[in-house]
Amino acid sequence: MAQILLHGNLHVTIFDAQELSTGRASAGAPKFIRKFVEGIEDTVGVGKGSSKLYATIDLEKARVGRTRMLSNETVNPRWFESFHIYCAHLAADVIFTVKADNAIGAALIGRAYLPVHELLDGEEIDRWLEVCDNDRQPIGESKIHVKLQYFDITKDRNWARGVRSAKYPGVPYTFFSQRQGCNVRLYQDAHVPDNFIPKIPLADGKNYEPHRCWEDIFDAITNAQHLIYITGWSVNTTITLIRDTNRPKPGGDVTLGELLKRKASEGVRVLMLVWDDRTSVGLLKRDGLMATHDEDTANFFRDTEVNCVLCPRNPDDSGSIVQDLQISTMFTHHQKIVVVDSEMPNQGSEQRRIVSFVGGIDLCDGRYDTQYHSLFRTLDTVHHDDFHQPNFATASITKGGPREPWHDIHSRLEGPIAWDVLYNFEQRWRKQGGKDVLVQIRDLADIIIPPSPVMFPEDRDAWNVQLFRSIDGGAAFGFPDAPEDAARAGLVSGKDQIIDRSIQDAYINAIRRAKNFIYIENQYFLGSSYGWKADDIKPEDIGALHVIPKELSLKIVSKIEAGEPFTVYVVVPMWPEGMPESASVQAILDWQRRTMEMMYTDITQALQAKGIEANPKDYLTFFCLGNREVKQEEEYEPQEQPEPDTDYIRAHEARRFMIYVHTKMMIVDDEYIIIGSANINQRSMDGARDSEIAMGAFQPYHLATRQPARGQIHGFRMALWYEHLGMLDDLFQHPESPECIQKVNKIAEKYWDIYSSDDLEQDLPGHLLSYPIGVTSEGAVTELPGMEFFPDTRARILGAKSDYLPPILTT
């Protein structure tokens, strides 16, 4: 049967099943006899052990939903679970699979099929489906009761219309609702030097003013009086937050660890949840998995008044051996948040309010950087004691640069949204924090004002903000057990846990609303593996099922078909941090190439169908960041030299290196922004793998309705483009225009030529480099002539499939 594109929303309910054949002798007997016989079987060991039944929903070979497991009824299970599924899939059937989970794995009971073409009219289907064997033959009287209704994207009143109105209610079916009357600060990198940002005009006669992340976090911690809550993938006690000699602060030379100890000794409740890195597994160690200093951090705070807890990530699959590897050691707690009580803006008030920080920047080594992203010139100053270069095995400050520069994005939240971040911390502490030492906020009700707007409704600088997460009940306390309660709270069933995966939902909703352009910066870009070409892989074995890349390419296709301009800009690192030749890095680059190729294939087919001759990079284009510096006289002179014939010595002599893109951000039409800790990969978007947090926000008075949005989000994007391109141009005001994307592509190609050249005559004028790939007229992603490897390495740009690393680790 021909496959049909399902692009929209699918609402599914799995009610119950009847007369299932579980392969046990007693299956067809009356219930009281069956229970008696199965009890004897299990006791004497002739049965299969106690089976737990669950059902899954697949669009062809892509898993899009699963029920919880039922252990008390193996013949007539009653689930009564509802699913809200975002579809961007080619499928001939919706497939319902019933399985029995037992001690030795999952056993297939049978599958039921509903042809996709029956859904297309949008009518509700409520039906008992026959449960069939592998040959699609009915298994006795077995059947499953389901209800489905499909809503095509063309029926979505938000499709391609933007936020539209201040009344936009936010992303539906989520744990946290959207909050109004908030204030937001956006941060590019850990620090911005004075006078770096040029004049960027905004609406209402204002100009864009940058904020400084680590200065604001230093102030927030220093001025806290009641609570300081921190979660991190890594927290390093030895770093200092204030390093700009032109902007000193009293006490700014104190290390983060000493600052937190001092605040705790003053009576402030300091609680820290730091990921417990259990990678004693050798498989990834040699591939450059970074040291997080978690043991050092815990030891530093031992026997102090700071409560620092190392918490492992015990994911949904915990306890089972997945793809022959114990993966509870492989997933991380990845949220990066700080929550404090803060003074009120009106001087003299004794009252306090909650302020939260959310984004991509961990409070650890290697993160402090400015928009200059120097490789060599800060090695005797701010980076002398913070030399970070994990891409070379023997890199050290004594052997000299290049250091790895760091580009990242973060945010500060005030108003009701800050309390949602606080609640997230409390949920996590109650699950994994051990001692109940959380501040009882209600006891401070006369001091800390309750959640309330911090901006007046008529204030043109106000924000509406919503909090999103990837997390499950293994890491957050208080998720409802009943599936109907979970569904109402925007949660879904996992294998053993209830899951919040609203970050993926937020991305999907924002992409679907987009009118003109999308600008993405992310540390990873891979997914929608069900749409990859099955040349040398079985896509169904990969499991990178989130739909974000496919949603992006379908958005571009829809605009090509409508004859409207639309562009997607994606900035990623040259390669994921680590030894670029290593198997794990090469595997991730291979998945990235397959993702790009799927998207470019969609685009080239749409162009051909319309008879348009155009460069697919005029619609979707990928960049990376890099720097190259000529040697200066006053520069730091290392005592030693890197080893001969290594990537390190070659990069040292060529005086170039990538700027590591660690950001997790998307801007849509200059009116909506997502910032958080979540990468565009399955680990971050799954909900049952890495734990993540993100915010989505817009300014109600600065929407792209009748004219382009010119609020803070526009100013922030322009500041980022100035950082990356080293210039501003009027064309940058309209990123959707062919003239803009062609100009940006041309500049980035020129910068790549300078970066990759054998000669070095000048500093690189900007950092934005065209990602070094070619795209054929059929959408295939190819090497550029003479460019198989990244400069100074033997690492293939297109990556290489790994035959021994399970995809669950690298997707």
Side-chain angles (χ1 to χ4, degrees):
M1 206 183 307
Q3 293 191 344
I4 298 166
L5 176 65
L6 282 180
H7 188 206
N9 298 334
L10 183 63
H11 291 194
V12 180
T13 301
I14 298 179
F15 295 109
D16 53 344
Q18 290 185 0
E19 301 300 327
L20 292 181
S21 173
T22 58
R24 297 181 74 147
S26 55
K31 182 174 181 178
F32 72 95
I33 296 177
R34 192 167 69 243
K35 287 285 181 196
F36 177 69
V37 172
E38 288 175 7
I40 295 173
E41 284 182 345
D42 292 343
T43 303
V44 300
V46 298
K48 292 184 179 175
S50 63
S51 290
K52 298 175 180 176
L53 290 196
Y54 65 98
T56 62
I57 310 166
D58 295 86
L59 296 175
E60 285 312 304
K61 294 176 178 176
R63 175 71 39 85
V64 293
R66 63 166 294 155
T67 67
R68 70 198 188 286
M69 291 199 278
L70 296 180
S71 53
N72 56 351
E73 185 51 84
T74 53
V75 175
N76 301 320
R78 296 165 54 82
W79 289 287
F80 284 80
E81 284 194 50
S82 295
F83 303 83
H84 171 83
I85 297 163
Y86 292 102
C87 317
H89 301 75
L90 280 167
D93 295 291
V94 181
I95 304 170
F96 298 90
T97 305
V98 182
K99 290 186 174 182
D101 188 81
N102 50 52
I104 55 172
L108 175 68
I109 291 174
R111 294 188 177 94
Y113 300 84
L114 184 91
V116 162
H117 66 80
E118 294 190 36
L119 294 167
L120 299 181
D121 62 6
E123 296 298 311
E124 186 179 277
I125 296 172
D126 189 328
R127 190 177 298 172
W128 284 92
L129 301 174
E130 292 178 322
V131 176
C132 301
D133 60 20
N134 283 332
D135 298 320
R136 288 208 181 194
Q137 297 304 309
I139 302 172
E141 299 295 312
S142 297
K143 53 191 177 184
I144 187 168
H145 182 198
V146 296
K147 183 172 74 177
L148 303 89
Q149 189 170 15
Y150 171 63
F151 301 87
D152 192 78
I153 198 70
T154 55
K155 307 285 196 300
D156 184 345
R157 56 195 177 88
N158 291 315
W159 171 251
R161 297 185 67 183
V163 174
R164 281 200 299 171
S165 155
K167 295 189 176 72
Y168 168 68
V171 178
Y173 310 105
T174 54
F175 189 83
F176 294 106
S177 56
Q178 185 174 273
R179 311 300 182 191
Q180 296 178 325
C182 300
N183 194 16
V184 175
R185 282 188 178 182
L186 307 175
Y187 302 111
Q188 65 189 104
D189 303 311
H191 186 64
V192 182
D194 288 337
N195 305 320
F196 175 80
I197 302 293
K199 185 178 176 183
I200 299 173
L202 305 181
D204 306 327
K206 295 182 178 177
N207 289 322
Y208 176 73
E209 291 288 337
H211 298 287
R212 295 167 177 87
C213 184
W214 278 16
E215 283 189 10
D216 284 359
I217 289 178
F218 175 82
D219 289 343
I221 292 173
T222 301
N223 297 324
Q225 292 182 4
H226 299 280
L227 63 95
I228 299 167
Y229 294 168
I230 296 173
T231 72
W233 173 84
S234 171
V235 177
N236 190 329
T237 58
T238 65
I239 63 164
T240 54
L241 299 175
I242 306 299
R243 306 189 198 179
D244 187 340
T245 54
N246 294 316
R247 296 178 61 89
K249 283 180 176 287
D253 55 351
V254 69
T255 64
L256 176 62
E258 292 298 338
L259 177 62
L260 292 171
K261 280 206 292 196
R262 190 181 80 213
K263 294 307 293 185
S265 70
E266 292 171 6
V268 179
R269 187 65 49 83
V270 181
L271 306 184
M272 300 170 64
L273 288 170
V274 179
W275 173 51
D276 185 2
D277 180 1
R278 291 182 171 178
T279 44
S280 49
V281 181
L283 193 58
L284 284 190
K285 266 286 197 226
R286 63 171 181 268
D287 282 353
L289 202 71
M290 285 196 299
T292 59
H293 315 287
D294 55 332
E295 295 295 336
D296 296 340
T297 304
N299 290 336
F300 182 86
F301 291 121
R302 189 163 286 124
D303 301 324
T304 74
E305 290 162 279
V306 173
N307 290 272
C308 178
V309 174
L310 298 186
C311 43
R313 177 72 181 105
N314 298 319
D316 194 30
D317 315 66
S318 60
S320 64
I321 294 182
V322 178
Q323 299 181 344
D324 303 320
L325 250 172
Q326 186 72 41
I327 51 89
S328 62
T329 55
M330 289 303 160
F331 294 139
T332 75
H333 284 305
H334 207 236
Q335 296 183 345
K336 303 132 190 346
I337 65 175
V338 177
V339 183
V340 299
D341 67 291
S342 175
E343 70 272 20
M344 299 291 288
N346 46 331
Q347 296 295 320
S349 170
E350 290 296 308
Q351 288 191 305
R352 314 282 294 171
R353 65 179 175 200
I354 298 296
V355 171
S356 299
F357 295 82
V358 169
I361 306 182
D362 278 295
L363 296 174
C364 67
D365 49 316
R367 302 308 190 261
Y368 183 90
D369 214 345
T370 71
Q371 294 66 49
Y372 294 110
H373 297 301
S374 180
L375 305 174
F376 297 93
R377 292 173 187 165
T378 54
L379 296 186
D380 53 357
T381 54
V382 294
H383 292 114
H384 187 76
D385 297 323
D386 187 5
F387 179 82
H388 184 72
Q389 181 45 282
N391 304 275
F392 307 137
T394 62
S396 73
I397 187 67
T398 57
K399 294 174 187 170
R403 62 176 279 270
E404 179 187 69
W406 197 270
H407 175 61
D408 221 326
I409 286 174
H410 217 73
S411 69
R412 175 181 186 256
L413 308 175
E414 293 178 85
I417 186 68
W419 286 77
D420 290 338
V421 184
L422 169 66
Y423 184 69
N424 165 78
F425 183 90
E426 291 177 337
Q427 278 192 306
R428 285 195 51 195
W429 186 269
R430 288 195 173 107
K431 191 71 179 186
Q432 290 194 296
K435 290 184 293 186
D436 182 15
V437 289
L438 289 163
V439 172
Q440 299 302 311
I441 302 285
R442 63 178 172 273
D443 296 343
L444 296 172
D446 54 337
I447 298 172
I448 297 180
I449 61 170
S452 52
V454 294
M455 311 286 272
F456 291 113
E458 64 275 11
D459 192 324
R460 296 183 59 81
D461 292 327
W463 291 77
N464 291 3
V465 194
Q466 192 171 5
L467 197 67
F468 310 110
R469 292 187 296 186
S470 293
I471 202 166
D472 63 24
F477 176 82
F479 280 175
D481 293 324
E484 54 272 20
D485 295 335
R488 272 196 294 274
L491 306 170
V492 295
S493 286
K495 182 180 176 189
D496 302 305
Q497 301 282 9
I498 299 292
I499 298 170
D500 180 345
R501 56 160 175 252
S502 50
I503 297 177
Q504 185 181 162
D505 296 355
Y507 271 85
I508 295 165
N509 275 268
I511 293 164
R512 289 183 173 186
R513 287 195 310 272
K515 291 191 295 187
N516 301 315
F517 79 94
I518 292 173
Y519 175 60
I520 291 171
E521 293 186 7
N522 206 287
Q523 183 186 359
Y524 292 90
F525 192 86
L526 62 94
S528 308
S529 56
Y530 57 85
W532 296 354
K533 288 180 182 153
D535 39 19
D536 57 342
I537 58 165
K538 292 170 74 177
E540 62 269 26
D541 292 344
I542 308 304
L545 295 175
H546 75 87
V547 300
I548 293 167
K550 194 68 174 179
E551 287 283 353
L552 287 165
S553 63
L554 290 176
K555 167 65 71 168
I556 296 168
V557 166
S558 73
K559 291 291 189 172
I560 292 171
E561 290 170 346
E564 298 171 3
F566 192 90
T567 48
V568 175
Y569 303 76
V570 183
V571 181
V572 292
M574 275 189 212
W575 66 81
E577 194 174 53
M579 312 300 164
E581 294 88 353
S582 68
S584 57
V585 169
Q586 285 290 298
I588 294 166
L589 290 170
D590 179 60
W591 305 140
Q592 177 178 279
R593 173 194 57 88
R594 294 173 195 272
T595 305
M596 292 174 172
E597 195 160 87
M598 172 196 71
M599 298 172 74
Y600 278 126
T601 300
D602 287 348
I603 292 165
T604 53
Q605 287 175 353
L607 290 170
Q608 288 165 6
K610 289 283 284 187
I612 299 170
E613 283 190 33
N615 182 350
K617 287 187 179 182
D618 288 353
Y619 299 85
L620 168 69
T621 185
F622 290 88
F623 306 97
C624 52
L625 300 179
N627 200 4
R628 197 166 189 193
E629 296 173 335
V630 295
K631 187 160 186 174
Q632 292 183 335
E633 285 182 18
E634 303 295 310
E635 210 169 85
Y636 168 76
E637 287 293 343
Q639 303 147 349
E640 305 166 36
Q641 282 287 303
E643 293 74 8
D645 194 30
T646 57
D647 293 0
Y648 190 7
I649 189 72
R650 286 188 285 269
H652 180 82
E653 290 174 346
R655 296 185 63 85
R656 62 188 166 201
F657 201 69
M658 71 166 168
I659 297 166
Y660 198 55
V661 177
H662 191 256
T663 49
K664 301 97 172 51
M665 180 209 70
M666 181 169 77
I667 289 173
V668 177
D669 296 336
D670 277 351
E671 68 174 5
Y672 190 84
I673 188 166
I674 296 174
I675 291 174
S677 66
N679 297 313
I680 297 180
N681 60 7
Q682 194 63 26
R683 291 178 71 113
S684 285
M685 294 295 168
D686 190 90
R689 298 187 183 182
D690 290 355
S691 66
E692 310 281 5
I693 194 164
M695 69 84 165
F698 67 94
Q699 292 185 284
Y701 287 100
H702 301 286
L703 300 177
T705 42
R706 292 180 187 81
Q707 62 228 34
R710 291 294 178 259
Q712 289 295 316
I713 298 171
H714 167 73
F716 188 63
R717 179 184 62 79
M718 293 293 279
L720 288 167
W721 282 29
Y722 178 75
E723 172 185 344
H724 299 334
L725 289 155
M727 59 177 288
L728 285 179
D729 190 288
D730 284 345
L731 286 174
F732 299 171
Q733 304 272 354
H734 300 281
E736 73 279 6
S737 69
E739 295 80 13
C740 180
I741 189 145
Q742 285 165 11
K743 174 152 189 126
V744 173
N745 277 338
K746 191 173 175 184
I747 295 168
E749 285 163 14
K750 178 183 143 192
Y751 290 172
W752 174 261
D753 289 342
I754 298 172
Y755 179 87
S756 59
S757 160
D758 290 338
D759 304 314
L760 175 58
E761 294 165 3
Q762 63 178 64
D763 286 356
L764 201 58
H767 301 142
L768 192 75
L769 312 176
S770 180
Y771 202 85
I773 53 167
V775 181
T776 70
S777 58
E778 303 302 312
V781 172
T782 61
E783 293 170 5
L784 294 174
M787 195 56 71
E788 181 183 358
F789 305 115
F790 290 110
D792 308 321
T793 77
R794 303 298 291 167
R796 293 195 64 226
I797 291 168
L798 299 184
K801 188 161 72 81
S802 171
D803 292 325
Y804 76 90
L805 283 175
I808 197 168
L809 297 183
T810 52
T811 57

